[in-house]
Every structure is written in structure tokens, then in C-alpha cells.
Amino acid sequence: MEPEEPTPEGEPGERRLNIHLAPELIGGVYANFANITFSQYEFTLTFARIEHEVEQGDVPGAVVARVNASPRFVEELIAALQDSWSKYQTQEGIRNLPEAPGHPGAS
């Protein structure tokens, strides 16, 4: 999932992603639960939206997306998630410093 090194314009072998996003998918889906299963050949990631307010009995929910992926892709996805999580933590850590603009402890 890491982007390839850019090549000079017009150089043979240059690849750029050209991914179409259907208008009805632009809003995405919300998930607050995930289940992961795997076999020797693939991983299946099932994302759902569940009701956390239920205190007893069955917890209602609905699957909002299911993705089947190869082990190689899952390995790349994990690396990309770790990189993004690290950047997010750094950004939030800076934002929450006492001297950060807008922080209650800032002068």
C-alpha cells in the first residue's frame, strides 16, 4: 500500500492509481465493530454497526461491509494502519500540549 517512488513524467513504467468512487459510496459507512476470520488463502474482515446501549440479551447490529483480502494485502494494510495511527497520535499529542493554541492551559 506504500506509494511507488515517483518517476519523471512520461517515463515508461509509470503507474498512477485511477480509482472510481461511485457517488452512492462517497459517504462511506460507519462501523463500530469488526470481526476477522482467515484461511490459508484469504482474510475476511466483516464490519458492523452494533447498538452498545443493550445491557442484556442479544445485541442488535447490521453488517455494513465485508472485505476479502489476500494475506499479502493484509500485511500491507497493517503497516499502513500502524503508520497512520502513529501520525494520528503525534498530531493529537501536539494538539493536547499545554502550550498549544486553543488548549485551556495556553497563554
Side-chain angles (χ1 to χ4, degrees):
M1 291 194 44
E2 284 292 315
E4 293 185 5
E5 290 295 316
T7 57
E9 196 74 18
E11 185 175 315
E14 178 181 357
R15 290 178 34 175
R16 296 185 341 199
L17 293 178
N18 183 8
I19 299 172
H20 171 75
L21 181 59
E24 62 271 13
L25 298 177
I26 288 175
V29 294
Y30 176 78
N32 58 5
F33 176 83
N35 182 53
I36 302 169
T37 58
F38 61 90
S39 71
Q40 182 178 357
Y41 303 102
E42 66 186 9
F43 280 75
T44 300
L45 293 82
T46 303
F47 297 93
R49 183 180 57 249
I50 62 170
E51 299 295 329
H52 286 291
E53 287 81 30
V54 176
E55 293 184 19
Q56 293 181 7
D58 291 344
V59 178
V63 171
V64 296
R66 177 171 280 163
V67 177
N68 294 310
S70 70
R72 181 176 176 178
F73 175 76
V74 170
E75 182 177 26
E76 293 172 354
L77 176 61
I78 291 167
L81 283 168
Q82 286 174 328
D83 180 57
S84 291
W85 183 254
S86 176
K87 290 174 182 173
Y88 168 80
Q89 287 181 308
T90 299
Q91 178 179 332
E92 289 303 302
I94 291 169
R95 186 181 326 231
N96 292 323
L97 287 174
E99 59 274 5
H103 190 278
S107 318

